[in-house]
């Protein structure tokens, strides 16, 4: 056989192997048998050990597989594939830090360079979980420090991270490049200072919506002298002043810096200076967008010119304390913008119009409801490429005025046909508007509507919002995430269960009439992974109806429903691979244990390593 | 007609409300154990913590009944605004609820605080500018619940499900009294065994002056139980740990009973 023939033969064999669908049994003998049957086809003249050949081939092929779903599938084929996949996986995603122990991670994967870890469930953001519940980064940093000295990237969401953790991270990983902390807490500016100082290869330091205590440390000055590798620096959530001169110096020596998100302690004049130093920026968080002092008679900086010079800016955010008279300075970049975040700025329709009129390329737009239905109509008229819209309430109370409504929603649906993701806070809504969106925006994958007044019906017809949400699940066939609100009966949930075929995440609050609603969802929605429910009349029978699937879900959260301890215990006993936690929302009560029968909060999740050992006293693991 | 006696016995009328007729026999049989003063370890419970008779009967009731029926029958009354007999029944929004609307803390306080359009700075020195602190900065340092609100639990006699009240959203006893009415009026009506309609929802009044059917009390940071309204508002806010709405007729027994026998009293 010629060389070409044998390599052609080899690739055929590889193809055959890769088409193997059903997983072999995990015993090595059967995989050896399967292999032996095929090994006869290897006819090359000097046959290397077939297993090694296979594994080498696999390694080379698997490097192209980056999707974790694909990799998970590959690892199930047989033990040999499992091994090779584990050796070649460099990025791991852990959606629930309690679903496995750090030891299990380091045992399976030997070559990780990047870790994404998520901790607390989302409802913790809204004060529904007592502090000190858990999700500590400490055991993870300790384990990975030993196992992966070449680790480069850590991305954490809703984890509790201490300054010591950050210090250990900085010391343990000499090649560390990217740190992203989203919705995290437990650390302060001293921890950030250590990262800045010790991680000499740092490219990304992104602090997003995290709580950072002000230790009064000048962390910006802790970046070492000399050229930095920084490409992204986001500290807009840091609520403490920074040393601007040090920041300016840092920007000057960071030629690769593309993304800079400053906090509200950076004034407009200072922003101007930064922009002049870094015209290559693509993403800019503008800080306060408000001048420092009253004009002192000298020439005012030409803000518009600075924006003009930053030709590459495609993403703008900040505007934390903006002054309307300066807003138009951003006009030169509007035509290039793909992302605009006004969600901290009390912008009226009048202020929005001249800006949005030029934003033809916007794909992501976040704003406050201060822009009103009129502003949304302006967005709909211009932003034909819009993919993601988020409208937050300026005044997040149940009985506040409500400047946006179904009118704005419908306008958006008619103008922005490519919309994929929407988060919309309002006081009143109609089934008609929601239905219109379901018909006009078939690409929707995320639909989150928050009617802030609880149990509010359609404000025109007085009927429940069942039909609107029903239309969404029926018409938006790509929908993967849904959050419902308003007056909803069990019928809405029957629609969701039946038509929500791709829904992975469902959020429910103050909705439904009975356990039937929960049953519809748990017996339908085949792809459901994350279920978070609060203040709804769902009890033990509803909970039981999901027993067949809790092992295949990331988590279920039920708070202020009507569950009893006995019902939760039944689930815990029936499903040994599921951890069932119950606790109250108030962690600092004196009583240690749950002895009453009423369960205020149930949080259950699958876990490979059983109940966690770090549960605080107010948590009972059934 | 109330039939409440001073020494804490349960009125048969209340029993009618909470426990179906046929189940009441076991309660009477175990009268002794009910009145036995047990240690208050019940953290999460349906009944108001001070009224332990109801607690225990409630808890036992839950344990003995098929769970779905017992809890859901209560839930049905509590949670089904859309299935009440009168279609025009619109739930009046009770006071602020924890974590609702679901907006993260740093997105609150935009309507107040430092997002003003006016100049908002103090003196600059060494290039480090200090701006006005947002109001949640202060809340952050004083309160372990860093999300800004000051939430205390409140239970009401006769209502199995407790609520929470954000005291930082109130400025006076009157406001608080109004919130209590809003929070519990519907719930109290839902406890009645006959179909509820707006007419049956009596406002809860006279919480502070002893003139109403119910009175507002609180437990302070030393475990003492007190009537609400005697001390200046700020002093009250700084010492209150829990609120309880009790029957006015039970005042003397509730306050002394709690204070004397409270196991957690540390003196």
């Amino acid at each position: 056989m010629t060389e070409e023939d044998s390599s052609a033969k080899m690739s055929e064999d590889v193809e055959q192997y890769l088409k193997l669908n059903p997983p072999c049994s995990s015993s090595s003998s059967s995989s050896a048998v399967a292999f032996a049957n095929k090994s006869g086809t290897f006819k090359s003249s000097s046959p290397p050990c077939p297993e090694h050949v296979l594994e080498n081939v696999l390694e080379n092929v698997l490097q192209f597989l980056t999707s974790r779903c694909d990799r998970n599938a590959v690892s199930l084929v047989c033990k040999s594939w499992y091994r090779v996949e584990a050796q070649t996986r460099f990025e791991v995603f852990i959606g629930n830090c309690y679903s496995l122990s750090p030891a299990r991670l380091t045992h399976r994967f030997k070559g990780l360079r990047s870790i994404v870890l998520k901790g607390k469930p989302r409802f913790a953001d809204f004060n529904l979980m007592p502090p000190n519940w858990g999700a500590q980064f400490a055991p993870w940093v300790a384990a990975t420090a030993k196992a992966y000295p070449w680790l480069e990237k850590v991305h954490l969401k809703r984890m509790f991270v201490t300054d010591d953790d950050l210090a250990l991270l900085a010391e343990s990983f000499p090649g560390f490049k990217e740190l992203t902390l989203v919705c995290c807490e437990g650390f302060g500016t001293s921890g950030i200072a250590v990262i800045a100082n010790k991680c000499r290869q740092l490219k990304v330091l992104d602090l997003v919506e995290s709580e950072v205590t002000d230790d009064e440390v000048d962390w910006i000055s802790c970046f070492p002298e000399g050229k930095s590798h920084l490409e992204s620096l986001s500290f807009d959530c840091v609520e403490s002043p920074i040393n601007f001169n040090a920041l300016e110096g840092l920007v000057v020596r960071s030629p690769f810096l593309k993304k800079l998100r400053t906090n509200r302690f950076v004034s407009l004049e200072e922003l101007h200076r930064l922009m002049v130093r870094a015209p290559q920026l693509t993403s800019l968080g503008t800080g306060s967008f408000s001048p420092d002092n009253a004009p002192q008679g000298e020439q005012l900086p030409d803000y518009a010119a600075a924006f003009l010079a930053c030709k590459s800016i495609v993403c703008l955010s900040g505007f934390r304390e903006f002054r309307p008279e300066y807003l138009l300075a951003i006009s030169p970049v509007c035509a290039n913008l793909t992302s605009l975040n006004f969600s901290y700025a009390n912008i009226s329709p009048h202020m929005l119009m001249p800006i949005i009129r030029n934003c033809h390329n916007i794909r992501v737009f976040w704003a406050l409801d201060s822009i009103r239905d009129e502003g949304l109509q302006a967005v709909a008229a211009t932003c034909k490429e819009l993919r993601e819209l988020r409208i937050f309430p300026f005044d997040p109370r149940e009985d506040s005025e409500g400047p946006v409504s179904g009118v704005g929603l419908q306008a958006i649906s008619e103008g922005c046909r490519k919309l994929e993701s929407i988060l919309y806070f309002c006081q009143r809504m109609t089934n008609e508007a929601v239905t219109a969106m379901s018909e006009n925006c078939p690409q929707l994958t995320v639909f989150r509507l928050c009617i802030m007044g609880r149990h509010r019906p359609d404000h025109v017809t007085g009927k429940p919002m069942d039909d609107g949400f029903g239309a969404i699940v029926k018409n938006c066939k790509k929908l993967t995430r849904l959050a419902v609100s308003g007056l909803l009966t069990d019928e809405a949930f029957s629609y969701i269960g039946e038509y929500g075929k791709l829904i992975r995440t469902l959020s429910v609050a103050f909705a439904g009439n009975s356990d039937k609603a929960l049953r519809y969802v748990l017996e339908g929605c085949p792809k459901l992974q994350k279920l978070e429910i609060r203040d709804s009349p769902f009890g033990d029978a509803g909970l039981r109806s999901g027993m067949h699937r809790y092992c295949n879900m990331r988590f279920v959260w039920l708070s202020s429903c009507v569950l009893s301890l006995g019902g939760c215990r039944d689930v815990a006993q029936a499903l040994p691979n599921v951890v069932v936690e119950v606790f109250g929302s108030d962690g600092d009560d004196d009583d240690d244990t749950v002895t009453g029968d009423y369960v205020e909060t149930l949080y259950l999740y699958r876990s490979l390593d059983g109940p966690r050992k770090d549960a605080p006293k107010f948590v009972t693991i059934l | 007609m109330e039939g409440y006696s001073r020494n804490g016995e349960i009125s048969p009328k209340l029993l009618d409300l909470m426990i179906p007729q046929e189940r009441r026999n076991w309660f009477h049989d175990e009268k002794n154990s009910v009145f036995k003063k047990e240690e208050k370890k019940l953290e999460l419970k349906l009944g108001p913590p001070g009224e332990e008779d109801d607690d225990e009967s409630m808890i036992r009731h839950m344990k003995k009944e098929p769970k779905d029926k017992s809890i859901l029958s209560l839930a049905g009354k509590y949670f089904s605004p859309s299935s009440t007999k009168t279609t025009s029944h619109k739930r009046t929004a009770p006071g602020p609820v924890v974590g609702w609307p679901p907006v993260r803390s740093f997105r609150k306080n935009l309507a107040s605080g430092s997002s003003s359009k006016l100049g908002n700075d103090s003196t600059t020195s060494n290039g480090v500018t200090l701006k006005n602190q947002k109001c949640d900065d202060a809340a952050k340092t004083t309160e372990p619940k860093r999300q800004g609100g000051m939430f205390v639990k409140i239970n009401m006699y006769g209502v199995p499900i407790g609520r929470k009240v954000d005291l930082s959203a109130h400025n006076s006893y009157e406001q608080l009294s109004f919130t209590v009415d809003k929070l519990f009026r519907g719930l109290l009506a839902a406890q009645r065994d006959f179909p509820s309609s707006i007419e049956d929802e009596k406002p809860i009044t006279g919480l502070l002056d002893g003139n109403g059917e119910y009175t507002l009390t609180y437990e302070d940071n030393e475990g003492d139980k007190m009537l609400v309204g005697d001390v200046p508002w700020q002093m009250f806010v700084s010492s209150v740990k829990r609120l309880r709405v009790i029957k006015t007729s039970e005042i003397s027994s509730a306050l002394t009973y709690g204070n004397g026998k409270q196991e957690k009293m540390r003196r």
Side-chain angles (χ1 to χ4, degrees), chain A residues 6-40:
Chain A
S6 68
S7 65
K9 193 76 181 111
M10 190 111 49
S11 54
E12 254 179 57
D13 293 326
V14 166
E15 225 182 329
Q16 267 185 303
Y17 278 110
L18 288 179
K19 279 190 194 143
L20 282 175
N21 282 326
C24 307
S25 81
S26 54
S27 71
S28 48
S29 57
S30 74
S31 71
V33 165
F35 195 86
N37 287 338
K38 303 283 182 189
S39 64

Side-chain angles (χ1 to χ4, degrees), chain A residues 286-541:
Chain A
T286 60
S288 70
F289 213 76
S290 163
D292 207 356
N293 294 309
Q296 281 159 357
E298 56 190 61
Q299 187 78 6
L300 279 178
D302 189 345
Y303 298 118
F307 277 96
L308 191 60
C310 290
K311 299 184 196 341
S312 320
I313 287 186
V314 292
C315 174
L316 267 187
S317 61
F319 308 101
R320 298 276 173 144
E321 289 157 3
F322 87 112
R323 296 278 293 276
E325 55 267 35
Y326 294 102
L327 200 56
L328 284 172
I330 72 172
S331 303
V333 299
C334 285
N336 294 333
L337 281 184
T338 55
S339 170
L340 179 56
N341 181 350
F342 275 156
S343 67
Y344 289 96
N346 187 10
I347 290 182
S348 67
H350 172 71
M351 291 177 217
L352 181 69
M353 304 293 193
I355 307 254
I356 209 74
R357 191 165 42 215
N358 296 320
C359 295
H360 303 279
N361 287 315
I362 279 221
R363 295 185 155 219
V364 175
F365 182 58
W366 292 22
L368 291 176
D369 59 5
S370 55
I371 65 170
R372 312 186 70 92
D373 285 330
E374 287 168 68
L376 289 169
Q377 286 163 333
V379 171
T382 314
C383 307
K384 299 301 178 191
E385 296 299 318
L386 195 67
R387 304 291 198 272
E388 177 180 319
L389 176 69
R390 295 198 192 188
I391 301 296
F392 294 95
F394 174 67
D395 184 6
R397 287 177 299 135
E398 279 185 81
D399 45 4
S400 62
E401 186 214 327
V404 299
S405 69
V407 170
L409 190 73
Q410 186 146 357
I412 290 285
S413 78
E414 288 161 4
C416 308
R417 296 299 177 106
K418 300 185 186 177
L419 197 66
E420 294 172 2
S421 169
I422 182 165
L423 169 64
Y424 196 86
F425 281 84
C426 58
Q427 287 291 355
R428 58 198 191 284
M429 186 47 62
T430 60
N431 282 308
E432 187 187 347
V434 176
T435 303
M437 176 156 276
S438 77
E439 290 164 354
N440 293 331
C441 303
Q443 304 301 320
L444 275 178
T445 55
V446 174
F447 184 80
R448 300 160 69 192
L449 178 64
C450 182
I451 303 171
M452 289 191 277
R454 288 164 287 152
H455 310 292
R456 289 239 176 109
D458 178 321
H459 75 96
V460 167
T461 65
K463 290 168 64 174
M465 293 299 299
D466 297 348
D467 289 341
F469 284 103
I472 289 284
V473 289
K474 281 179 200 160
N475 298 334
C476 301
K477 305 210 192 302
K478 300 185 180 181
L479 200 71
T480 56
R481 182 171 179 184
L482 179 65
V484 300
S485 60
L487 183 65
L488 291 168
T489 71
D490 290 345
E491 191 158 349
F493 295 92
S494 74
Y495 299 145
I496 294 174
E498 184 176 349
Y499 296 102
K501 301 250 188 286
L502 297 182
I503 292 181
R504 288 175 42 94
T505 307
L506 179 63
S507 299
V508 177
F510 304 101
N513 302 127
S514 74
D515 272 336
K516 279 201 292 190
L518 184 54
R519 261 189 35 226
Y520 287 136
V521 168
L522 290 170
E523 290 173 1
C525 293
K527 301 278 184 191
L528 192 63
Q529 286 292 303
K530 300 184 268 183
L531 181 59
E532 47 189 27
I533 298 177
R534 63 167 295 182
D535 291 274
S536 299
F538 306 146
D540 297 338

Side-chain angles (χ1 to χ4, degrees), chain A residues 239-261:
Chain A
E239 285 290 310
S240 50
I242 49 132
N243 180 339
F244 178 73
N245 289 332
L247 177 62
E248 192 177 11
L250 176 64
V251 167
V252 165
R253 61 183 195 280
S254 304
F256 307 112
L257 193 67
K258 289 280 191 284
K259 180 161 118 180
L260 177 64
R261 300 221 171 137

